[in-house]
Amino acid sequence: MGAVRARSGALRSRLAVLLALLATLACTAIAHAEDGYDLWLRYPPLDARQAPVLRAHAAELVAPASTPTQRALRDELLRGLGGLLGGAPALADAPRRDGALVVGTPASSPVVAGLGLDLADLGEEGYLIRSVRIGGHRATVVAANDDIGALYGAFHFLRLAQTGAPLDALDLREAPRLALRVLNHWDNLDRYVERGYAGQSIWDWHRLPDWRDPRYTDYARANASIGINGTVLNNVNANAQVLTPMYLEKVAALADVMRPYGIRVYLSARFSAPIEIGGLATADPLDPAVQRWWKDKADEIYRTIPDFGGFLVKANSEGQPGPQDYGRSHADGANLLADALAPHGGVVMWRAFVYSEEEPDDRHKQAYNEFVPHDGAFRDNVMVQVKNGAIDFQPREPFHPLFGAMPRTPLMMEFQITKEYLGFSTHLAYLGALYEEVLDADTHVQGAGSTVARVLDGSLHGHALTGMAGVANIGSDRNWSGSHFDQANWYAYGRLAWDPGARARDIAADWVRMTFSTAPAFVAPVVDMMMASHQAVVDYMTPLGLHHLMGRGHHYGPAPWVEGGPRADWTSVYYHRATAEGIGFDRTATGSDAVAQYAPAVAEVFGDVTRVPEDFLLWFHHVPWDYRTQSGRPLWDELVHRYTRGVDAVRGMRATWDGLASYVDAARHAQVATFLGIQEKEAQWWRDASIAYFQTFSGRPLPEGYAAPAQTLEYYQALEFPHAPGDTR
Amino acid sequence: MGAVRARSGALRSRLAVLLALLATLACTAIAHAEDGYDLWLRYPPLDARQAPVLRAHAAELVAPASTPTQRALRDELLRGLGGLLGGAPALADAPRRDGALVVGTPASSPVVAGLGLDLADLGEEGYLIRSVRIGGHRATVVAANDDIGALYGAFHFLRLAQTGAPLDALDLREAPRLALRVLNHWDNLDRYVERGYAGQSIWDWHRLPDWRDPRYTDYARANASIGINGTVLNNVNANAQVLTPMYLEKVAALADVMRPYGIRVYLSARFSAPIEIGGLATADPLDPAVQRWWKDKADEIYRTIPDFGGFLVKANSEGQPGPQDYGRSHADGANLLADALAPHGGVVMWRAFVYSEEEPDDRHKQAYNEFVPHDGAFRDNVMVQVKNGAIDFQPREPFHPLFGAMPRTPLMMEFQITKEYLGFSTHLAYLGALYEEVLDADTHVQGAGSTVARVLDGSLHGHALTGMAGVANIGSDRNWSGSHFDQANWYAYGRLAWDPGARARDIAADWVRMTFSTAPAFVAPVVDMMMASHQAVVDYMTPLGLHHLMGRGHHYGPAPWVEGGPRADWTSVYYHRATAEGIGFDRTATGSDAVAQYAPAVAEVFGDVTRVPEDFLLWFHHVPWDYRTQSGRPLWDELVHRYTRGVDAVRGMRATWDGLASYVDAARHAQVATFLGIQEKEAQWWRDASIAYFQTFSGRPLPEGYAAPAQTLEYYQALEFPHAPGDTR
């Protein structure tokens, strides 16, 4: 601190400013290193340019606190504004000066009621944010029909403040386009997380219900801030024990924590639970005793959790029990549970990720074949939950042919946020770009503009029950998601579940500003890097429509050579079909004809090697090595080019990030930099191993200027990773 | 902040003080809640009474920083003193005023060299702390022969400062009584921790060697602060893969982090590794190819980790492979590895926790019977690592009969810090009291005073190679140990490994002051509570010498009814032997005669039902239900009394803690309070289930005034905990 000189009158105010500033600086220095725990809700002090703007719009806070949700809302605003401004605004019953922030519903707040706002079309979860005058004072009002809408609105206001958005002349109206915006935790009861790369499950079942980890509240806050309103607590590969009284008591404790934040809990239900914990001899959905058991179980659940959301079910898939074990259909199975839940308002989310015991000619076609015949046979409170693509969360897939193909059934999107097939948590891959590509995809089932997003939001086929599920990337790691940038995927998922038409780039920009810095010289290159990162992963792992080439079981690293084992569609060679002549899976009429599952306008494009987007070339076509690609290069050369381009892109990300150290705290910068180093090393490994392997088929030399693989194919094939995280078990 | 009035001259200094104060206050408010991550190294600002005392002895810091250890030392002092004083002291090359803190070795510091201190008997790890005058200035010197001794001394000085100890006229000399002070991590390569109740393994193998989590450094700091100088990274139920090049590279990265803190890394070696990863057909210790393989492996390890500590081995125990698979002895097995390590200075820690494939007449006798015949047959760099008691880390056990029984072999103590049999991490049980009881136990092998501590420190039988191992309670939980009070067990273990004669109560007092508060009105009741907590657990779980009555496999909760299964000595009934006539395991001459393994003076006492300490009554004797105990009560009544007393003690701990809320931050107070609530509930469960069960044998009513069990025996027997943490797998 330099010398301070002051005299008489102005002393007090100068001192106050100085003290606040010093306190802030000191805290920044002494407080714990930024470790990512605070996610995008960090609320660091705004800079000298932004602080006065916010202060002028948050001079005082008028917000009721009579309900748990209202208290959560007010606490968040006090925390957020307090952090951003270096001190929380004063609380007031009504605006007494310019710059009040007024939050509430007509029922909770006389001030809001007095404004006579038009809230009719906002529903229960929507809100508006508007610059108004109240009693002659400038004010900002955040108004909604329900407490939860007001909470969402408060988070939106905080986002505007955090990102340095203008706060004058606001006139925003927001309501979610999807009703259910749900996280799926693939968390086992022993805290192991299947496909989890961020530590253990955050659900500490053993110490529940007594110990309610404060982390649960922070989880709820983070989710509410992006509009997520449901969470399925346990793995779809479910253990029936979660439905026993001992566990339901624990589930109820979690529901209590979530409730003020508008988040309902759901459970994955094991279809054979009536046998395993019910003592019945069968789980046949048409058996009256089974039906009785599920009804009783639902009644029991709702006695302790009145707002329980419902069941998620993985049935007759990868060894899970299901209705087909009794010769019944998926509809029979789903309706069994739906009938039990219906009196309480619960829903069934029935997964379409199925494949039969027998190997199909093309796994791509299985879900469509099994589900389309049952369109219209499901109860009103059943949704069919469909993965974004027909195979399994590959770095890039064409949209699932089920979207648009079941007009009488509400379809729910299942995205994977955890990066099972995208390098785990050390690879920087912004999935907003992936989600956007799928949501924007046009099914053409009702002509152009029949996007997947419009299937989901019900507008295409007139459904009110709508939703999106994201397989969570959340674990006990201090930074929640295993890496700082993987938080962006959780964030983007939530924002797109709220509005499937939102732009991934805008979302990334918001996230970067809230998570790291609002400095334009930082935001622009980082957003560019994020937006390009998805393509980079596709390029160095599975370019040109290749897919499912990861290590067997754990899915870590390249293994295009995987063959043999229990079923062909769990191998790599099944999918790439490389021969001396060419490579790719012929899914046209000359092959498996999976393209016929798409609407004709789509099928024509995908099925035509000259029209298919090159990103899906080898997904739908088996193509000779010398096939001339759009770049003019022969296919082999193009393949090598794309693998190499992917590695180069990661190298570019490293350079970008290394140049931005001055904008980020040392701890987070170092971790991201280290992880980018790992990503570059592994991208190179992917490229080299893949090229070494496919070259044994193409028999061609690498094009001029492209480096040979660093090691022999045998070296790559000998690598083993028996303890890679997240494998099924 | 109130109004600040100041004028002219004094303004600057007043402002400085005020700003420092404000910054401190603001930080306390804004920084993250105390979550236990900082352990006993929190360094919060001292109060107005203590701060000037420290400031007068840390006005400036004279400490070299040319080596990694020196930098770690200086960084710790700057961090510690900076935190305690609200600002780090100035650095200086030599004392320029009163109150310098001078730290270093004669080689590293000319100032220290100039003092001509007598350091001869301090060894490599010892240090002295002395108040001196240097060039006419008061100073405190922390001096050692080696950097690591200086680091230990610096932590000791910080402890004095943290606990508010006097800093005048210091004249301390410290050197460790044991050479190897080691943590044993029962951590698997997939991050599962066997008997772990604090989350996953902190070793993030997948992201090593590239990502060196800052937590590793904090782990090293914490261990160095209590003198721990070794860590066995992986489970004794070992996977050979940790010895492959891929993992050794990761181990080397951890060794790099630990090295500046004086901590060597060790590995658990799977005896059959030559087969599993070496491609040999045998692991026979007398096979030359096997010997060659281990020599080559040791050479390979030392090439990357020149200070590698050595191997820990669990052989021929609970299904692990070992030399007996080839008809060889434990000595043959240990010497095989010892010969491979010897050229590099490594040691073998060979566990004595063995029991044969066949059920023994008394498992208690097994280790003694197997190891005593080999006394003198082990190489000089082999230690036999012996659990504190002969069964398995029960809440209370008599000391292991091996202590004192192998005079020609260095014996290492194995304590369990993780609370496998003591309620996991939610029960408050201070193990310092348990460790002290064992270390103080008198083996009488060379007459009175032949304590276990003197067996361990080598003074009884003239060994220089000495050591203690503690099975770590450390995991990925934010607070490291699963609960705040379990940190005290890690702490106490380290302090007792340094000095097995230290008093558990003093250690607890230090820990409480550093971890929570130095306020005497807080320290006294909390230390009392901690000291009494071990007896409370013994009382509500296994009073009067009962043992091994926990739930099968997971060891959670009461299950005295466990019988059947693969072997009798894995059941409860094997140990309590309750009948209609009485209860207890007769280990006298009329029974298994395990008492004969102790020195005659001890055997006489343990073997005599009238002289055996009542805490071990049922450990050594089968006693009728109406046997009159020292209290005058019949055995049955005394049993009920002790069970009840245990529950009452926990109730007392709750009341004590609830009354101390004003001394502790809200977050930590709440977690401890919640856990104590769980402990009371589970103590009641232990008492009720045990009484309900044993009553079926005693056939006696509960004594007057003692409540009946809350539930039926059948209720308790029906409880299942398939997902309890930490079970073997």
Side-chain angles (χ1 to χ4, degrees):
Chain A
M1 172 185 50
V4 176
R5 295 175 187 278
R7 257 173 300 173
S8 65
L11 178 63
R12 216 180 293 177
S13 67
R14 284 197 201 176
L15 254 182
V17 170
L18 195 63
L19 287 171
L21 182 70
L22 258 269
T24 299
L25 289 175
C27 283
T28 308
I30 298 181
H32 66 308
E34 291 257 16
D35 55 22
Y37 182 81
D38 292 333
L39 294 161
W40 47 87
L41 302 176
R42 291 164 53 247
Y43 306 130
L46 294 176
D47 64 27
R49 190 183 57 77
Q50 293 175 330
V53 175
L54 176 58
R55 196 168 289 113
H57 295 85
E60 59 185 10
L61 177 59
V62 181
S66 333
T67 68
T69 298
Q70 290 167 16
R71 282 190 288 276
L73 183 164
R74 199 164 84 172
D75 287 351
E76 192 71 32
L77 284 172
L78 291 174
R79 176 205 295 246
L81 299 172
L84 293 167
L85 295 174
L91 292 168
D93 291 333
R96 295 167 305 194
R97 49 178 157 168
D98 275 358
L101 177 62
V102 177
V103 189
T105 68
S108 73
S109 165
V111 181
V112 171
L115 290 171
L117 299 162
D118 174 17
L119 306 171
D121 63 339
L122 293 175
E124 192 181 295
E125 298 185 309
Y127 56 85
L128 61 74
I129 304 179
R130 192 175 296 170
S131 302
V132 294
R133 295 194 75 85
I134 302 176
H137 297 301
R138 279 192 303 96
T140 306
V141 64
V142 178
N145 292 308
D146 192 274
D147 282 352
I148 189 62
L151 179 64
Y152 289 146
F155 274 115
H156 193 142
F157 181 84
L158 283 169
R159 188 207 312 163
L160 297 175
Q162 290 169 279
T163 56
L167 298 175
D168 281 322
L170 292 176
D171 189 10
L172 299 167
R173 299 180 73 85
E174 282 271 350
R177 273 176 65 188
L178 302 183
L180 307 185
R181 307 174 300 276
V182 178
L183 287 179
N184 288 186
H185 286 267
W186 286 1
D187 295 13
N188 294 345
L189 298 183
D190 65 358
R191 302 190 70 180
Y192 183 82
V193 182
E194 186 172 325
R195 310 308 177 184
Y197 313 104
Q200 288 186 300
S201 171
I202 59 171
W203 316 128
D204 184 358
W205 292 111
H206 182 70
R207 293 190 276 208
L208 280 167
D210 297 82
W211 174 237
R212 300 177 180 199
D213 193 323
R215 187 163 193 154
Y216 304 149
T217 303
D218 290 327
Y219 168 90
R221 289 174 51 233
N223 279 318
S225 78
I226 51 177
I228 288 172
N229 67 358
T231 178
V232 186
L233 300 174
N234 62 317
N235 193 351
V236 290
N237 292 322
N239 189 312
Q241 267 157 341
V242 80
L243 299 174
T244 60
M246 183 173 88
Y247 276 93
L248 290 177
E249 197 186 350
K250 299 168 189 278
V251 172
L254 289 173
D256 287 346
V257 176
M258 307 291 167
R259 192 168 292 113
Y261 295 90
I263 298 167
R264 291 181 178 211
V265 301
Y266 299 72
L267 292 175
S268 290
R270 186 163 162 91
F271 199 78
S272 52
I275 301 172
E276 289 149 4
I277 62 168
L280 301 188
T282 178
D284 183 346
L286 302 193
D287 185 296
V290 171
Q291 293 167 354
R292 177 84 258 150
W293 190 88
W294 281 109
K295 279 204 173 291
D296 290 347
K297 183 53 70 181
D299 294 348
E300 177 191 350
I301 293 173
Y302 280 91
R303 275 196 297 276
T304 40
I305 311 167
D307 58 348
F308 180 70
F311 293 134
L312 170 64
V313 186
K314 174 178 180 175
N316 291 121
S317 168
E318 297 184 319
Q320 291 297 309
Q324 295 178 344
D325 302 346
Y326 306 95
R328 316 300 184 189
S329 73
H330 281 292
D332 292 331
N335 292 343
L336 163 74
L337 302 177
D339 289 343
L341 294 166
H344 310 285
V347 301
V348 171
M349 302 174 290
W350 192 268
R351 291 176 92 232
F353 179 67
V354 296
Y355 43 91
S356 63
E357 300 292 318
E358 308 84 50
E359 285 165 33
D361 63 328
D362 182 359
R363 184 169 133 192
H364 194 291
K365 301 192 296 187
Q366 183 93 14
Y368 182 103
N369 288 344
E370 285 203 26
F371 276 84
V372 168
H374 299 293
D375 188 26
F378 293 96
R379 297 282 190 273
D380 286 346
N381 60 335
V382 174
M383 310 190 72
V384 171
Q385 183 169 312
V386 183
K387 291 187 182 184
N388 57 286
I391 298 300
D392 192 12
F393 299 136
Q394 294 303 295
R396 169 174 276 135
E397 298 198 27
F399 70 91
H400 201 298
L402 270 177
F403 290 113
M406 294 183 70
R408 294 193 289 160
T409 308
L411 297 188
M412 198 163 173
M413 171 65 78
E414 179 175 317
F415 281 130
Q416 194 177 44
I417 310 172
T418 189
K419 302 212 306 295
E420 174 181 355
Y421 292 101
L422 291 98
F424 301 180
S425 53
T426 39
H427 291 215
L428 196 166
Y430 173 55
L431 300 183
L434 184 160
Y435 303 155
E436 180 181 75
E437 180 175 297
V438 175
L439 294 167
D440 287 352
D442 196 338
T443 70
H444 281 275
V445 293
Q446 293 192 4
S450 304
T451 61
V452 170
R454 292 194 56 223
V455 174
L456 297 178
D457 73 8
S459 63
L460 202 65
H461 298 124
H463 295 295
L465 185 56
T466 56
M468 190 184 288
V471 180
N473 66 350
I474 295 163
S476 62
D477 272 7
R478 182 67 182 167
N479 66 18
W480 299 87
S481 301
S483 76
H484 298 295
F485 271 90
D486 275 334
Q487 297 177 353
N489 296 329
W490 175 9
Y491 182 82
Y493 164 74
R495 293 285 302 274
L496 286 165
W498 178 278
D499 177 10
R503 295 296 87 192
R505 175 175 287 276
D506 298 339
I507 294 170
D510 278 350
W511 177 82
V512 169
R513 290 188 180 101
M514 292 191 282
T515 302
F516 289 116
S517 165
T518 56
F522 177 83
V523 175
V526 174
V527 169
D528 285 346
M529 176 173 92
M530 290 170 70
M531 289 303 293
S533 63
H534 172 235
Q535 184 64 46
V537 175
V538 171
D539 281 340
Y540 64 70
M541 284 189 183
T542 50
L544 288 167
L546 288 173
H547 51 288
H548 210 294
L549 307 182
M550 294 74 184
R552 194 198 292 269
H554 49 66
H555 300 158
Y556 173 63
W561 45 79
V562 166
E563 58 186 337
R567 35 190 306 164
D569 56 346
W570 288 354
T571 67
S572 300
V573 297
Y574 174 89
Y575 292 102
H576 66 67
R577 308 204 167 192
T579 65
E581 285 70 43
I583 183 171
F585 197 132
D586 182 2
R587 292 191 165 107
T588 69
T590 60
S592 77
D593 204 21
V595 293
Q597 294 181 335
Y598 291 97
V602 175
E604 274 170 33
V605 172
F606 285 168
D608 182 344
V609 71
T610 67
R611 293 174 64 200
V612 66
E614 216 157 57
D615 282 335
F616 297 128
L617 178 64
L618 305 180
W619 189 283
F620 289 112
H621 299 273
H622 188 80
V623 180
W625 291 110
D626 60 359
Y627 176 82
R628 183 159 298 270
T629 62
Q630 286 160 20
S631 66
R633 297 183 195 94
L635 178 67
W636 167 249
D637 291 15
E638 179 70 13
L639 199 62
V640 173
H641 169 70
R642 290 204 179 199
Y643 274 121
T644 308
R645 183 176 79 180
V647 182
D648 290 344
V650 178
R651 206 166 284 129
M653 294 202 289
R654 286 190 78 178
T656 298
W657 185 255
D658 287 347
L660 296 170
S662 62
Y663 295 95
V664 185
D665 53 282
R668 289 192 297 168
H669 190 273
Q671 191 184 65
V672 172
T674 301
F675 283 12
L676 284 169
I678 293 173
Q679 184 175 10
E680 183 186 330
K681 203 188 294 187
E682 296 188 350
Q684 188 76 46
W685 167 36
W686 263 98
R687 172 206 182 267
D688 288 356
S690 303
I691 289 176
Y693 172 73
F694 288 124
Q695 196 172 28
T696 65
F697 296 96
S698 78
R700 289 161 178 257
L702 294 194
E704 189 79 29
Y706 289 84
Q711 306 279 350
T712 64
L713 176 58
E714 293 66 35
Y715 168 87
Y716 297 115
Q717 290 179 320
L719 295 174
E720 288 186 50
F721 306 95
H723 311 293
D727 206 351
T728 53
R729 60 158 210 232
Chain B
M1 168 183 51
V4 175
R5 296 176 187 280
R7 258 172 300 172
S8 65
L11 177 61
R12 215 180 293 177
S13 68
R14 284 198 203 174
L15 254 180
V17 170
L18 195 64
L19 287 170
L21 182 71
L22 259 267
T24 298
L25 289 174
C27 283
T28 308
I30 298 181
H32 66 308
E34 290 257 16
D35 55 21
Y37 182 81
D38 292 334
L39 295 162
W40 48 86
L41 303 176
R42 294 163 53 248
Y43 308 129
L46 293 176
D47 64 26
R49 190 182 57 77
Q50 292 175 331
V53 174
L54 176 58
R55 197 168 288 113
H57 296 84
E60 58 185 10
L61 177 60
V62 180
S66 332
T67 69
T69 298
Q70 290 167 15
R71 283 190 288 276
L73 184 165
R74 199 164 85 172
D75 287 350
E76 193 70 33
L77 283 172
L78 291 173
R79 174 204 297 246
L81 299 172
L84 293 167
L85 295 174
L91 292 168
D93 291 333
R96 293 167 307 192
R97 48 179 157 167
D98 276 356
L101 177 62
V102 177
V103 189
T105 68
S108 74
S109 164
V111 182
V112 171
L115 289 169
L117 299 162
D118 174 19
L119 306 172
D121 64 339
L122 292 176
E124 191 181 297
E125 299 186 308
Y127 56 85
L128 61 76
I129 304 180
R130 192 175 296 171
S131 303
V132 294
R133 294 195 76 85
I134 302 176
H137 296 301
R138 279 192 305 97
T140 307
V141 64
V142 177
N145 292 308
D146 193 274
D147 282 352
I148 188 62
L151 179 65
Y152 289 146
F155 274 116
H156 193 142
F157 182 84
L158 284 168
R159 188 208 310 163
L160 297 175
Q162 289 170 279
T163 56
L167 299 174
D168 281 322
L170 293 175
D171 189 10
L172 299 167
R173 299 180 75 83
E174 283 271 349
R177 272 176 66 189
L178 302 183
L180 306 185
R181 307 174 301 275
V182 178
L183 287 178
N184 287 185
H185 286 268
W186 286 1
D187 294 14
N188 294 346
L189 299 183
D190 66 357
R191 300 190 70 179
Y192 181 81
V193 182
E194 184 171 326
R195 310 309 178 185
Y197 314 104
Q200 288 186 300
S201 171
I202 59 171
W203 315 128
D204 184 357
W205 292 111
H206 182 69
R207 293 190 276 209
L208 280 166
D210 298 82
W211 174 235
R212 300 177 180 198
D213 193 322
R215 187 164 194 154
Y216 305 149
T217 304
D218 290 327
Y219 167 91
R221 287 176 51 233
N223 279 318
S225 78
I226 52 178
I228 289 172
N229 67 359
T231 179
V232 186
L233 300 174
N234 62 317
N235 192 352
V236 288
N237 292 321
N239 189 313
Q241 266 156 344
V242 80
L243 299 174
T244 59
M246 183 173 89
Y247 277 91
L248 290 177
E249 197 187 350
K250 299 168 189 277
V251 171
L254 289 172
D256 287 346
V257 176
M258 306 292 167
R259 191 168 294 113
Y261 295 90
I263 298 168
R264 291 182 178 208
V265 301
Y266 298 72
L267 292 175
S268 290
R270 187 162 162 92
F271 198 77
S272 51
I275 300 172
E276 289 149 4
I277 61 168
L280 301 188
T282 179
D284 183 346
L286 302 193
D287 185 294
V290 171
Q291 293 166 354
R292 177 83 257 152
W293 188 88
W294 281 109
K295 278 204 172 292
D296 289 347
K297 183 53 70 179
D299 294 348
E300 177 191 351
I301 293 172
Y302 280 91
R303 274 196 297 275
T304 41
I305 312 168
D307 58 348
F308 179 69
F311 293 134
L312 170 64
V313 185
K314 174 177 180 176
N316 292 122
S317 169
E318 298 183 319
Q320 292 296 309
Q324 294 177 344
D325 302 348
Y326 306 94
R328 316 300 183 189
S329 72
H330 282 291
D332 292 331
N335 293 344
L336 163 74
L337 302 177
D339 289 343
L341 293 167
H344 308 285
V347 301
V348 171
M349 302 173 292
W350 191 269
R351 290 177 92 232
F353 179 67
V354 296
Y355 43 91
S356 62
E357 300 292 317
E358 307 84 50
E359 285 167 33
D361 63 327
D362 182 359
R363 183 171 133 189
H364 194 290
K365 301 191 297 187
Q366 184 93 16
Y368 182 102
N369 289 343
E370 285 204 28
F371 277 83
V372 168
H374 299 293
D375 188 28
F378 293 95
R379 296 281 190 274
D380 286 348
N381 59 333
V382 174
M383 308 189 73
V384 171
Q385 182 169 312
V386 183
K387 290 188 181 183
N388 57 286
I391 299 300
D392 193 11
F393 299 135
Q394 295 303 295
R396 169 174 277 136
E397 297 197 29
F399 70 91
H400 201 298
L402 270 177
F403 290 114
M406 293 183 71
R408 294 193 290 161
T409 308
L411 297 189
M412 199 163 170
M413 170 66 78
E414 179 175 316
F415 280 130
Q416 194 177 44
I417 310 172
T418 189
K419 303 214 305 297
E420 173 181 356
Y421 292 101
L422 291 98
F424 300 0
S425 53
T426 40
H427 290 216
L428 196 165
Y430 173 54
L431 300 183
L434 184 161
Y435 303 154
E436 180 181 75
E437 181 176 298
V438 176
L439 293 168
D440 287 353
D442 196 337
T443 69
H444 281 275
V445 293
Q446 294 193 3
S450 305
T451 60
V452 171
R454 292 196 55 223
V455 173
L456 296 179
D457 73 8
S459 62
L460 203 63
H461 297 123
H463 294 295
L465 185 56
T466 58
M468 189 184 288
V471 181
N473 67 349
I474 295 163
S476 63
D477 272 7
R478 182 68 181 166
N479 66 17
W480 298 86
S481 300
S483 76
H484 297 295
F485 272 90
D486 276 333
Q487 297 177 352
N489 296 329
W490 176 10
Y491 183 82
Y493 165 74
R495 293 284 302 274
L496 286 165
W498 178 277
D499 177 9
R503 295 297 86 192
R505 176 174 286 274
D506 298 338
I507 294 169
D510 278 350
W511 178 82
V512 169
R513 291 189 179 101
M514 292 191 282
T515 303
F516 289 114
S517 164
T518 57
F522 177 82
V523 175
V526 174
V527 170
D528 285 347
M529 176 174 93
M530 290 170 71
M531 289 303 293
S533 64
H534 172 235
Q535 184 64 46
V537 175
V538 171
D539 281 340
Y540 65 70
M541 284 189 181
T542 50
L544 287 167
L546 289 172
H547 51 288
H548 210 292
L549 307 181
M550 293 74 184
R552 197 200 289 269
H554 49 65
H555 301 157
Y556 173 63
W561 46 78
V562 165
E563 59 186 335
R567 39 191 302 164
D569 56 346
W570 288 354
T571 70
S572 300
V573 298
Y574 175 89
Y575 291 101
H576 65 68
R577 309 206 165 191
T579 66
E581 285 70 45
I583 184 171
F585 198 131
D586 182 2
R587 292 191 166 108
T588 69
T590 60
S592 77
D593 204 21
V595 293
Q597 293 181 334
Y598 290 98
V602 175
E604 276 170 31
V605 173
F606 286 168
D608 182 344
V609 73
T610 66
R611 293 174 65 200
V612 67
E614 216 158 55
D615 282 335
F616 297 127
L617 178 65
L618 305 180
W619 189 284
F620 289 112
H621 300 272
H622 188 80
V623 180
W625 291 110
D626 59 0
Y627 176 83
R628 183 157 297 271
T629 61
Q630 286 161 20
S631 67
R633 298 182 194 95
L635 178 68
W636 167 249
D637 290 16
E638 179 69 13
L639 200 62
V640 173
H641 168 72
R642 290 201 179 202
Y643 273 120
T644 309
R645 184 176 78 179
V647 182
D648 290 344
V650 177
R651 207 167 283 129
M653 294 201 291
R654 285 190 77 178
T656 298
W657 185 256
D658 287 347
L660 296 170
S662 62
Y663 295 95
V664 185
D665 52 283
R668 288 191 298 168
H669 191 272
Q671 190 184 65
V672 172
T674 301
F675 283 12
L676 284 168
I678 294 173
Q679 185 175 10
E680 183 186 333
K681 204 188 291 186
E682 296 188 348
Q684 188 74 48
W685 168 35
W686 263 98
R687 172 206 182 268
D688 287 357
S690 302
I691 289 175
Y693 172 74
F694 287 125
Q695 198 171 28
T696 65
F697 296 96
S698 79
R700 290 161 178 255
L702 294 194
E704 189 78 28
Y706 289 84
Q711 306 279 351
T712 64
L713 176 58
E714 292 66 35
Y715 168 87
Y716 298 115
Q717 290 179 319
L719 295 174
E720 287 186 52
F721 306 95
H723 311 293
D727 205 352
T728 54
R729 61 161 206 230

